[in-house]
Amino acid sequence: MAEVPNTPLLDELEKGKWPSFVTEIKDAAKSNDMCKDLLGILEKSYNEKIGHWKHGGIVGVLGYGGGVIGRYCDVPEEFPGVSHFHTMRINMPAAWFYTSDALRKICDIWEKHGSGLTNMHGSTGDIILLGCRTDDLEPTFQDLAREGFDIGGSGSDLRTPSCCNGMARCEWACFDTMRACYDLTMHWQDELHRPAFPYKYKFKFAGCPNDCVASIARADMSFIGTWRDEIQVDQDKVKEAVDKDGVDMINDVVLRCPGQCMQWDGNKLEIDDSSCRHCMHCINVLHKALKPGKDRGCTVLIGAKAPIIEGAQLSSVLIPFMKMEPPYEELKDLIERIWDIWCDEGKARERIGEFIQRVGLGNFLEAIEMEPTPEMIAHPRENPYVFYEEYYEEGDEEEEEE
Amino acid sequence: MAEAQQERITDIGPPHYEKFLPPVIKENYGKWDYHEYVKPGVYVHVAEGGDKIYTVRAASPRLVSIHKIRKYADLADKYCDGYLRFTSRNNVEFLLTDESKIDPLIKDLEELGHPVGGVGNAISNIVHTQGWVHCHSAATDASGIVKAVMDELNEYFTSMKLPAKIRIALACCLNMCGAVHCSDIAILGIHRRPPKVIDENVPKQCEIPNVVAACPTAAIRPAEKDGKKSVEVIEENCMFCANCYTVCPAMPLNDPLNDGVSIWIGGKVSNARHEPMFSKLAIPFIPNNPPRWPEVVEAVKGIVELWAKHARKYERIGEWIERIGWPKFFKLSGIEFEKEHIDDFKYAGLTFKRSTHITF
């Protein structure tokens, strides 16, 4: 057994009230040699102010191209235990619900094959098994598969879709986020496991405009629940919120409304729903008195990404309102059309948001056979450099009329 | 082989979520009426028919060992019939139907060293990346800074005394694995030195056309050095994104002297009130100072407390600054305004002040 190294710098991070990742690594190191070398190499990084990992190499499980990220340390002779330290991404259950039994099974498998360290969870949502040797990848995968767990996405493929807990534990969910997430994940297992796209493609499903899973910032396709009829108001409970809970209706609700569509006369809350921007603020504050309307669905947005390569983008509206009902045929059809054009015309490592910027949203809409609508833009163009696609010669008009 | 070869299983997808939902959730799926906060870290959802589910949310360091997960599992068995979940910000949530079990559970969680909180007008857990623990392009560590910052901000996790919710995120490089670019406060690892080209490794490890294409500013071009194919970097065009390094390991940017952290503020993803917005640069550079990054901790705490003191109820950091204006923010915070604060990349002009709406 390797020795647990001295880690005076890391030890400083065991102090304080917040739970410490160093304690977690040390705990795992009690029964796992890889973690002892992880402590050693991390202490080295803390001393030298530089990381010691290399990525790359083709590693994975049989038949898959994604879901495993090759990771090697650059000083293997010093820390042989982490000479291979690959990441396995495991597709989490929708909205990260578990039973204790399921978690214990994952732990047992990971104790047998890997470092015993995990991220619960990675940024995209997967269960991250942190630190696996190449030879152990396939056996880990098969043991997990026998317990009902499969690998998630990595590389230029569909990344593991994720969702908020929606109807499971939230009164604001305007569609069944977990069902949609599960359905689309199952439908495109091949795209999830075998990279064939220009770059990554992420789906995130949020039940309401509060967007608890940050879909508008992080998903190539964001599904954000909304409604298109009237906010449901219980005037008695509005009064109760004022009288009992001390809500300051003017300052806390009326003046915070971005659509300026509310009036409060001391007795009754009037909402002009035709000006409602569906932002959720009034519903958030008056959470017993107000509810989203009954005609519910989602807004579909496209193109969010972090900076690499062409700069960060937020998703922008593609479909202002869509009913979200299984089997989601209309939606799957649309997604296939988007992927077809992006796979044909997209450059390597070009996200869909960058692709749309490059070819123009108007051209993109034409290619996926969708009509432009004013909800897609913040405002019409300001610059007059319009690429009109055709012009006429004298006499063309007559020909056109024929 | 002693055992018969078992059939290989593939492409089964994630387990169906229904296997993991507590009965009270299954019965009330889509039928929740309202929720309210019971106390810091605890909320209750009430169904139309009156059923209740209590949620106790506890901090987690995100990087957890299997021993800790087993402890979570034991607590779930003891208090929640074995049901629990994790949040998108890496907290762990225990789902209870018996109100009387809340306090004993909180006591056990606190003994385990996991504070309960992060609900309502509080700081939630900091989402973060891998940093020096596991990432090849990290300009800083992630877990270490998060631990140091959250130690200092713990009281805002375990209470609900802030004007609104606040979301902090950390990414250890510009790849930003996580919603760092739209956070109330973002801690972002940055490189400041162009890649050093290791010429002898370029032909072995890299596809030169890919490397050239990977650069957003066309700062990399093919070059022949001593008769061998390599690349050269036009240094003044490099903005240190590390994209070249991701496709070509022979172009490392990691550098102890020049790597560090920048602080970005005022982003949000929620559509509530103000539309979603990007975080904007507050502090261009803070050097890496492990193990506890005191300058980063001080800067983040300073911004949180300045906002808490000045913002109106429900105003997120970005909404507050939009109301008072950035000049006032710089004045109030004492952060020096520098050349780096002015955008000089694509469409930079859209960020210039184009009015005389100025406060004095």
Side-chain angles (χ1 to χ4, degrees), chain B residues 220-254:
Chain B
I220 301 170
R221 55 191 178 196
E224 218 168 79
K225 297 180 190 169
D226 300 327
K228 281 189 186 147
K229 289 196 166 127
S230 185
V231 293
E232 64 184 7
V233 179
I234 307 160
E235 293 203 348
E236 62 268 29
N237 288 356
C238 176
M239 42 69 177
F240 325 106
C241 72
N243 204 37
C244 54
Y245 180 54
T246 296
V247 298
C248 177
M251 299 182 72
L253 284 91
N254 294 348

mmCIF file of all heavy atoms in Angstrom, chain B residues 220-254:
data_model
loop_
_atom_site.group_PDB
_atom_site.id
_atom_site.type_symbol
_atom_site.label_atom_id
_atom_site.label_comp_id
_atom_site.label_asym_id
_atom_site.label_seq_id
_atom_site.Cartn_x
_atom_site.Cartn_y
_atom_site.Cartn_z
ATOM 1 N N ILE B 220 -2.930 31.880 -34.776
ATOM 2 C CA ILE B 220 -2.029 30.743 -34.985
ATOM 3 C C ILE B 220 -1.907 30.481 -36.480
ATOM 4 O O ILE B 220 -2.913 30.471 -37.192
ATOM 5 C CB ILE B 220 -2.573 29.480 -34.281
ATOM 6 C CG1 ILE B 220 -2.725 29.740 -32.773
ATOM 7 C CG2 ILE B 220 -1.658 28.281 -34.533
ATOM 8 C CD1 ILE B 220 -3.457 28.660 -32.032
ATOM 9 N N ARG B 221 -0.662 30.316 -36.959
ATOM 10 C CA ARG B 221 -0.504 29.951 -38.361
ATOM 11 C C ARG B 221 0.578 28.885 -38.509
ATOM 12 O O ARG B 221 1.464 28.780 -37.640
ATOM 13 C CB ARG B 221 -0.213 31.183 -39.222
ATOM 14 C CG ARG B 221 0.974 31.986 -38.773
ATOM 15 C CD ARG B 221 1.002 33.311 -39.515
ATOM 16 N NE ARG B 221 2.129 34.113 -39.047
ATOM 17 C CZ ARG B 221 2.249 35.406 -39.273
ATOM 18 N NH1 ARG B 221 1.343 36.062 -39.956
ATOM 19 N NH2 ARG B 221 3.310 36.066 -38.823
ATOM 20 N N PRO B 222 0.467 28.109 -39.587
ATOM 21 C CA PRO B 222 1.472 27.056 -39.781
ATOM 22 C C PRO B 222 2.854 27.683 -39.973
ATOM 23 O O PRO B 222 2.973 28.782 -40.525
ATOM 24 C CB PRO B 222 1.027 26.374 -41.080
ATOM 25 C CG PRO B 222 -0.349 26.874 -41.360
ATOM 26 C CD PRO B 222 -0.488 28.180 -40.692
ATOM 27 N N ALA B 223 3.890 27.005 -39.498
ATOM 28 C CA ALA B 223 5.250 27.529 -39.682
ATOM 29 C C ALA B 223 6.204 26.356 -39.768
ATOM 30 O O ALA B 223 6.006 25.324 -39.127
ATOM 31 C CB ALA B 223 5.615 28.419 -38.493
ATOM 32 N N GLU B 224 7.223 26.511 -40.587
ATOM 33 C CA GLU B 224 8.252 25.487 -40.653
ATOM 34 C C GLU B 224 9.416 25.921 -39.785
ATOM 35 O O GLU B 224 9.893 27.049 -39.902
ATOM 36 C CB GLU B 224 8.695 25.287 -42.104
ATOM 37 C CG GLU B 224 8.960 23.818 -42.409
ATOM 38 C CD GLU B 224 9.101 23.569 -43.901
ATOM 39 O OE1 GLU B 224 10.194 23.863 -44.420
ATOM 40 O OE2 GLU B 224 8.132 23.107 -44.500
ATOM 41 N N LYS B 225 9.805 25.068 -38.837
ATOM 42 C CA LYS B 225 10.928 25.429 -37.970
ATOM 43 C C LYS B 225 11.973 24.325 -38.083
ATOM 44 O O LYS B 225 11.650 23.158 -37.817
ATOM 45 C CB LYS B 225 10.459 25.585 -36.525
ATOM 46 C CG LYS B 225 9.452 26.722 -36.341
ATOM 47 C CD LYS B 225 9.008 26.826 -34.883
ATOM 48 C CE LYS B 225 7.840 27.790 -34.748
ATOM 49 N NZ LYS B 225 7.220 27.722 -33.431
ATOM 50 N N ASP B 226 13.188 24.674 -38.461
ATOM 51 C CA ASP B 226 14.271 23.716 -38.703
ATOM 52 C C ASP B 226 13.818 22.585 -39.642
ATOM 53 O O ASP B 226 14.083 21.404 -39.391
ATOM 54 C CB ASP B 226 14.776 23.106 -37.375
ATOM 55 C CG ASP B 226 15.311 24.186 -36.454
ATOM 56 O OD1 ASP B 226 15.870 25.179 -36.970
ATOM 57 O OD2 ASP B 226 15.161 24.039 -35.220
ATOM 58 N N GLY B 227 13.079 22.972 -40.676
ATOM 59 C CA GLY B 227 12.635 21.993 -41.665
ATOM 60 C C GLY B 227 11.487 21.118 -41.196
ATOM 61 O O GLY B 227 11.044 20.228 -41.910
ATOM 62 N N LYS B 228 10.988 21.353 -39.983
ATOM 63 C CA LYS B 228 9.880 20.522 -39.484
ATOM 64 C C LYS B 228 8.616 21.364 -39.363
ATOM 65 O O LYS B 228 8.667 22.555 -39.041
ATOM 66 C CB LYS B 228 10.243 19.946 -38.097
ATOM 67 C CG LYS B 228 11.162 18.764 -38.201
ATOM 68 C CD LYS B 228 11.319 18.102 -36.835
ATOM 69 C CE LYS B 228 12.354 16.999 -36.911
ATOM 70 N NZ LYS B 228 13.106 16.870 -35.657
ATOM 71 N N LYS B 229 7.489 20.693 -39.587
ATOM 72 C CA LYS B 229 6.221 21.399 -39.544
ATOM 73 C C LYS B 229 5.813 21.691 -38.099
ATOM 74 O O LYS B 229 5.837 20.821 -37.240
ATOM 75 C CB LYS B 229 5.131 20.563 -40.219
ATOM 76 C CG LYS B 229 5.329 20.518 -41.720
ATOM 77 C CD LYS B 229 4.085 20.052 -42.442
ATOM 78 C CE LYS B 229 4.241 20.349 -43.920
ATOM 79 N NZ LYS B 229 4.008 19.181 -44.758
ATOM 80 N N SER B 230 5.456 22.943 -37.857
ATOM 81 C CA SER B 230 4.955 23.319 -36.532
ATOM 82 C C SER B 230 4.000 24.510 -36.723
ATOM 83 O O SER B 230 3.494 24.711 -37.839
ATOM 84 C CB SER B 230 6.118 23.686 -35.603
ATOM 85 O OG SER B 230 5.632 23.942 -34.299
ATOM 86 N N VAL B 231 3.774 25.241 -35.678
ATOM 87 C CA VAL B 231 2.924 26.435 -35.778
ATOM 88 C C VAL B 231 3.610 27.590 -35.052
ATOM 89 O O VAL B 231 4.492 27.383 -34.222
ATOM 90 C CB VAL B 231 1.532 26.222 -35.138
ATOM 91 C CG1 VAL B 231 0.711 25.215 -35.921
ATOM 92 C CG2 VAL B 231 1.651 25.811 -33.676
ATOM 93 N N GLU B 232 3.184 28.813 -35.395
ATOM 94 C CA GLU B 232 3.645 29.963 -34.612
ATOM 95 C C GLU B 232 2.438 30.761 -34.141
ATOM 96 O O GLU B 232 1.356 30.698 -34.722
ATOM 97 C CB GLU B 232 4.608 30.828 -35.427
ATOM 98 C CG GLU B 232 3.999 31.466 -36.650
ATOM 99 C CD GLU B 232 5.042 32.228 -37.470
ATOM 100 O OE1 GLU B 232 6.233 32.151 -37.152
ATOM 101 O OE2 GLU B 232 4.626 32.895 -38.436
ATOM 102 N N VAL B 233 2.652 31.503 -33.061
ATOM 103 C CA VAL B 233 1.559 32.258 -32.444
ATOM 104 C C VAL B 233 1.857 33.748 -32.550
ATOM 105 O O VAL B 233 2.933 34.197 -32.162
ATOM 106 C CB VAL B 233 1.409 31.873 -30.950
ATOM 107 C CG1 VAL B 233 0.286 32.685 -30.293
ATOM 108 C CG2 VAL B 233 1.132 30.380 -30.799
ATOM 109 N N ILE B 234 0.897 34.491 -33.123
ATOM 110 C CA ILE B 234 1.024 35.951 -33.119
ATOM 111 C C ILE B 234 0.534 36.411 -31.746
ATOM 112 O O ILE B 234 -0.667 36.471 -31.468
ATOM 113 C CB ILE B 234 0.163 36.582 -34.229
ATOM 114 C CG1 ILE B 234 0.490 35.928 -35.583
ATOM 115 C CG2 ILE B 234 0.364 38.088 -34.297
ATOM 116 C CD1 ILE B 234 -0.598 36.122 -36.624
ATOM 117 N N GLU B 235 1.479 36.696 -30.868
ATOM 118 C CA GLU B 235 1.125 36.822 -29.451
ATOM 119 C C GLU B 235 0.140 37.943 -29.166
ATOM 120 O O GLU B 235 -0.717 37.822 -28.304
ATOM 121 C CB GLU B 235 2.396 36.984 -28.606
ATOM 122 C CG GLU B 235 3.243 35.713 -28.628
ATOM 123 C CD GLU B 235 4.176 35.602 -27.439
ATOM 124 O OE1 GLU B 235 4.342 36.599 -26.717
ATOM 125 O OE2 GLU B 235 4.729 34.505 -27.238
ATOM 126 N N GLU B 236 0.262 39.068 -29.934
ATOM 127 C CA GLU B 236 -0.644 40.182 -29.604
ATOM 128 C C GLU B 236 -2.101 39.871 -29.961
ATOM 129 O O GLU B 236 -3.000 40.571 -29.518
ATOM 130 C CB GLU B 236 -0.172 41.509 -30.218
ATOM 131 C CG GLU B 236 -0.103 41.537 -31.732
ATOM 132 C CD GLU B 236 1.272 41.135 -32.264
ATOM 133 O OE1 GLU B 236 1.980 40.352 -31.605
ATOM 134 O OE2 GLU B 236 1.637 41.606 -33.366
ATOM 135 N N ASN B 237 -2.333 38.814 -30.743
ATOM 136 C CA ASN B 237 -3.706 38.445 -31.076
ATOM 137 C C ASN B 237 -4.293 37.389 -30.140
ATOM 138 O O ASN B 237 -5.451 37.025 -30.259
ATOM 139 C CB ASN B 237 -3.791 37.906 -32.509
ATOM 140 C CG ASN B 237 -3.609 39.011 -33.537
ATOM 141 O OD1 ASN B 237 -3.500 40.177 -33.164
ATOM 142 N ND2 ASN B 237 -3.551 38.645 -34.801
ATOM 143 N N CYS B 238 -3.478 36.876 -29.236
ATOM 144 C CA CYS B 238 -3.932 35.791 -28.362
ATOM 145 C C CYS B 238 -4.709 36.349 -27.188
ATOM 146 O O CYS B 238 -4.265 37.283 -26.526
ATOM 147 C CB CYS B 238 -2.742 34.986 -27.846
ATOM 148 S SG CYS B 238 -3.211 33.700 -26.676
ATOM 149 N N MET B 239 -5.937 35.770 -26.946
ATOM 150 C CA MET B 239 -6.673 36.183 -25.742
ATOM 151 C C MET B 239 -6.837 35.001 -24.785
ATOM 152 O O MET B 239 -7.747 34.951 -23.988
ATOM 153 C CB MET B 239 -7.958 36.924 -26.068
ATOM 154 C CG MET B 239 -8.798 36.375 -27.189
ATOM 155 S SD MET B 239 -9.514 34.792 -26.710
ATOM 156 C CE MET B 239 -10.491 34.383 -28.093
ATOM 157 N N PHE B 240 -5.936 34.024 -24.890
ATOM 158 C CA PHE B 240 -5.712 33.033 -23.832
ATOM 159 C C PHE B 240 -6.900 32.108 -23.563
ATOM 160 O O PHE B 240 -7.137 31.705 -22.433
ATOM 161 C CB PHE B 240 -5.287 33.738 -22.527
ATOM 162 C CG PHE B 240 -4.434 34.952 -22.758
ATOM 163 C CD1 PHE B 240 -4.945 36.238 -22.600
ATOM 164 C CD2 PHE B 240 -3.129 34.818 -23.189
ATOM 165 C CE1 PHE B 240 -4.167 37.353 -22.849
ATOM 166 C CE2 PHE B 240 -2.333 35.933 -23.439
ATOM 167 C CZ PHE B 240 -2.858 37.203 -23.270
ATOM 168 N N CYS B 241 -7.646 31.765 -24.622
ATOM 169 C CA CYS B 241 -8.846 30.949 -24.420
ATOM 170 C C CYS B 241 -8.518 29.481 -24.191
ATOM 171 O O CYS B 241 -9.349 28.723 -23.724
ATOM 172 C CB CYS B 241 -9.798 31.095 -25.603
ATOM 173 S SG CYS B 241 -9.228 30.286 -27.123
ATOM 174 N N ALA B 242 -7.326 29.041 -24.582
ATOM 175 C CA ALA B 242 -6.871 27.652 -24.411
ATOM 176 C C ALA B 242 -7.528 26.692 -25.391
ATOM 177 O O ALA B 242 -7.398 25.481 -25.269
ATOM 178 C CB ALA B 242 -7.052 27.144 -22.981
ATOM 179 N N ASN B 243 -8.243 27.223 -26.342
ATOM 180 C CA ASN B 243 -8.870 26.348 -27.321
ATOM 181 C C ASN B 243 -7.821 25.578 -28.128
ATOM 182 O O ASN B 243 -7.994 24.404 -28.453
ATOM 183 C CB ASN B 243 -9.741 27.183 -28.260
ATOM 184 C CG ASN B 243 -10.826 26.358 -28.893
ATOM 185 O OD1 ASN B 243 -11.392 25.479 -28.256
ATOM 186 N ND2 ASN B 243 -11.107 26.621 -30.147
ATOM 187 N N CYS B 244 -6.685 26.205 -28.415
ATOM 188 C CA CYS B 244 -5.617 25.521 -29.147
ATOM 189 C C CYS B 244 -5.075 24.363 -28.328
ATOM 190 O O CYS B 244 -4.813 23.275 -28.843
ATOM 191 C CB CYS B 244 -4.499 26.499 -29.523
ATOM 192 S SG CYS B 244 -3.815 27.423 -28.133
ATOM 193 N N TYR B 245 -4.942 24.575 -27.033
ATOM 194 C CA TYR B 245 -4.398 23.536 -26.164
ATOM 195 C C TYR B 245 -5.324 22.332 -26.109
ATOM 196 O O TYR B 245 -4.869 21.184 -26.050
ATOM 197 C CB TYR B 245 -4.165 24.106 -24.767
ATOM 198 C CG TYR B 245 -3.603 23.112 -23.784
ATOM 199 C CD1 TYR B 245 -2.445 22.401 -24.070
ATOM 200 C CD2 TYR B 245 -4.240 22.866 -22.567
ATOM 201 C CE1 TYR B 245 -1.930 21.482 -23.177
ATOM 202 C CE2 TYR B 245 -3.738 21.956 -21.668
ATOM 203 C CZ TYR B 245 -2.578 21.256 -21.972
ATOM 204 O OH TYR B 245 -2.086 20.348 -21.084
ATOM 205 N N THR B 246 -6.641 22.588 -26.158
ATOM 206 C CA THR B 246 -7.597 21.487 -26.120
ATOM 207 C C THR B 246 -7.440 20.579 -27.338
ATOM 208 O O THR B 246 -7.560 19.365 -27.224
ATOM 209 C CB THR B 246 -9.034 22.035 -26.017
ATOM 210 O OG1 THR B 246 -9.148 22.727 -24.773
ATOM 211 C CG2 THR B 246 -10.063 20.932 -26.045
ATOM 212 N N VAL B 247 -7.147 21.168 -28.516
ATOM 213 C CA VAL B 247 -6.952 20.309 -29.685
ATOM 214 C C VAL B 247 -5.486 19.924 -29.899
ATOM 215 O O VAL B 247 -5.185 19.052 -30.697
ATOM 216 C CB VAL B 247 -7.522 20.940 -30.984
ATOM 217 C CG1 VAL B 247 -9.026 21.150 -30.860
ATOM 218 C CG2 VAL B 247 -6.843 22.240 -31.330
ATOM 219 N N CYS B 248 -4.564 20.571 -29.187
ATOM 220 C CA CYS B 248 -3.143 20.316 -29.400
ATOM 221 C C CYS B 248 -2.376 20.411 -28.083
ATOM 222 O O CYS B 248 -2.021 21.508 -27.640
ATOM 223 C CB CYS B 248 -2.580 21.321 -30.415
ATOM 224 S SG CYS B 248 -0.819 21.166 -30.701
ATOM 225 N N PRO B 249 -2.120 19.258 -27.452
ATOM 226 C CA PRO B 249 -1.438 19.266 -26.147
ATOM 227 C C PRO B 249 -0.019 19.850 -26.197
ATOM 228 O O PRO B 249 0.562 20.112 -25.150
ATOM 229 C CB PRO B 249 -1.390 17.785 -25.754
ATOM 230 C CG PRO B 249 -2.280 17.062 -26.696
ATOM 231 C CD PRO B 249 -2.460 17.906 -27.912
ATOM 232 N N ALA B 250 0.503 20.052 -27.413
ATOM 233 C CA ALA B 250 1.855 20.612 -27.527
ATOM 234 C C ALA B 250 1.853 22.131 -27.434
ATOM 235 O O ALA B 250 2.842 22.784 -27.770
ATOM 236 C CB ALA B 250 2.494 20.162 -28.839
ATOM 237 N N MET B 251 0.730 22.720 -27.005
ATOM 238 C CA MET B 251 0.657 24.178 -26.866
ATOM 239 C C MET B 251 0.144 24.571 -25.481
ATOM 240 O O MET B 251 -0.895 25.227 -25.344
ATOM 241 C CB MET B 251 -0.255 24.769 -27.952
ATOM 242 C CG MET B 251 0.250 24.503 -29.360
ATOM 243 S SD MET B 251 -0.803 25.259 -30.602
ATOM 244 C CE MET B 251 -0.417 27.000 -30.411
ATOM 245 N N PRO B 252 0.867 24.194 -24.416
ATOM 246 C CA PRO B 252 0.367 24.476 -23.064
ATOM 247 C C PRO B 252 0.342 25.968 -22.731
ATOM 248 O O PRO B 252 1.225 26.714 -23.145
ATOM 249 C CB PRO B 252 1.354 23.734 -22.159
ATOM 250 C CG PRO B 252 2.601 23.632 -22.967
ATOM 251 C CD PRO B 252 2.165 23.512 -24.400
ATOM 252 N N LEU B 253 -0.702 26.366 -21.991
ATOM 253 C CA LEU B 253 -0.786 27.757 -21.521
ATOM 254 C C LEU B 253 -0.566 27.871 -20.019
ATOM 255 O O LEU B 253 -0.369 28.962 -19.511
ATOM 256 C CB LEU B 253 -2.180 28.350 -21.796
ATOM 257 C CG LEU B 253 -2.530 28.777 -23.200
ATOM 258 C CD1 LEU B 253 -3.164 27.625 -23.933
ATOM 259 C CD2 LEU B 253 -3.489 29.944 -23.156
ATOM 260 N N ASN B 254 -0.705 26.733 -19.340
ATOM 261 C CA ASN B 254 -0.610 26.786 -17.876
ATOM 262 C C ASN B 254 0.699 27.428 -17.450
ATOM 263 O O ASN B 254 1.761 27.092 -17.961
ATOM 264 C CB ASN B 254 -0.678 25.371 -17.287
ATOM 265 C CG ASN B 254 -2.030 24.721 -17.522
ATOM 266 O OD1 ASN B 254 -2.980 25.392 -17.915
ATOM 267 N ND2 ASN B 254 -2.118 23.430 -17.273
#
